[in-house]
Amino acid sequence: MYFAIDFLAKTLAGGGDTDRLKPLYILISEFWHEKAGLIAGDPACLADADPLALANLIV
């Protein structure tokens, strides 16, 4: 994760083309959101990580 953020920061600092990096921004954002949800114990994220846990969310 650090290397992707570092790459983006260096590209921005160097005046690089950020439009072509949009998919990378999205990937990092999705990964960060998922990781934060797992750390926080968000039931939806935990269900995604463990398909068997999804049954516990369906009432």
Side-chain angles (χ1 to χ4, degrees), residues 1 7-11 13 20-21 26-27 32 38 41-42 44-45 48-50 53 56-57:
M1 187 84 168
F7 174 75
L8 292 172
K10 287 177 181 176
T11 301
R20 67 183 180 86
L21 297 175
I26 293 170
L27 177 67
W32 191 267
L38 291 172
D42 178 30
C45 289
D48 286 345
D50 180 7
N56 296 331
L57 293 176

Side-chain angles (χ1 to χ4, degrees), residues 14-56:
D17 179 18
T18 57
D19 289 337
R20 67 183 180 86
L21 297 175
K22 187 174 182 177
L24 185 56
Y25 287 117
I26 293 170
L27 177 67
I28 291 171
S29 177
E30 290 291 326
F31 180 73
W32 191 267
H33 180 264
E34 187 71 20
K35 184 72 171 175
L38 291 172
I39 291 170
D42 178 30
C45 289
L46 292 172
D48 286 345
D50 180 7
L52 297 177
L54 183 59
N56 296 331

